[in-house]
Amino acid sequence: QVQLVESGGGSVQAGGSLRLSCAASGYTYRPYCLGWFRQAPGKEREGVAVIVGRGTPQYVDYVDSVKGRFTISQDAARNTLYLEMNNLKAEDTAMFYCAATYSFTCSLVITNFNYWGQGTQVTVSS
């Protein structure tokens, strides 16, 4: 059973930066695809960034609204997924979730993912 634990959320002013971490455990074979999703109050959960967990070069994808500002990466040796967030905007305020799947379809589609963390809150003030 894959277990995911997020950390690194907090409150920052617009233009600031945060780095989210997701510690993964409980598996023998590393999930094929890992991702970050977010859910703002009153809105549906949306995909933010995904990365293929195996092999090189690593495939990554981002939702348009974060391209050029967010970077997804992983440390396979530490079983940790990261999301570096720069130039944060008020509209980035949300609960951020780490997710994983063994599906070979690595995309921002929520239904592809079947393992989820509890989330970490990111609040950006303008």
Side-chain angles (χ1 to χ4, degrees), residues 58-115:
Q58 292 183 335
Y59 169 82
V60 297
D61 194 18
Y62 300 90
V63 67
D64 286 346
S65 60
V66 308
K67 286 181 179 178
R69 301 189 297 123
F70 290 11
T71 302
I72 188 171
S73 63
Q74 61 180 335
D75 184 335
R78 292 191 169 93
N79 293 323
T80 303
L81 179 72
Y82 301 101
L83 185 68
E84 185 76 33
M85 306 186 294
N86 298 312
N87 191 22
L88 282 161
K89 304 176 180 180
E91 51 264 42
D92 294 317
T93 295
M95 183 72 77
F96 280 70
Y97 298 90
C98 174
T101 180
Y102 287 95
S103 168
F104 289 134
T105 300
C106 195
S107 72
L108 297 169
V109 176
I110 292 173
T111 52
N112 286 342
F113 292 82
N114 40 20
Y115 299 99

Side-chain angles (χ1 to χ4, degrees), residues 31-65:
Y32 181 76
C33 181
L34 304 165
W36 287 99
F37 294 77
R38 65 185 178 185
Q39 187 165 17
K43 295 188 176 181
E44 293 186 352
R45 192 172 298 189
E46 68 166 350
V48 175
V50 293
I51 186 169
V52 170
R54 310 175 194 169
T56 57
Q58 292 183 335
Y59 169 82
V60 297
D61 194 18
Y62 300 90
V63 67
D64 286 346
S65 60

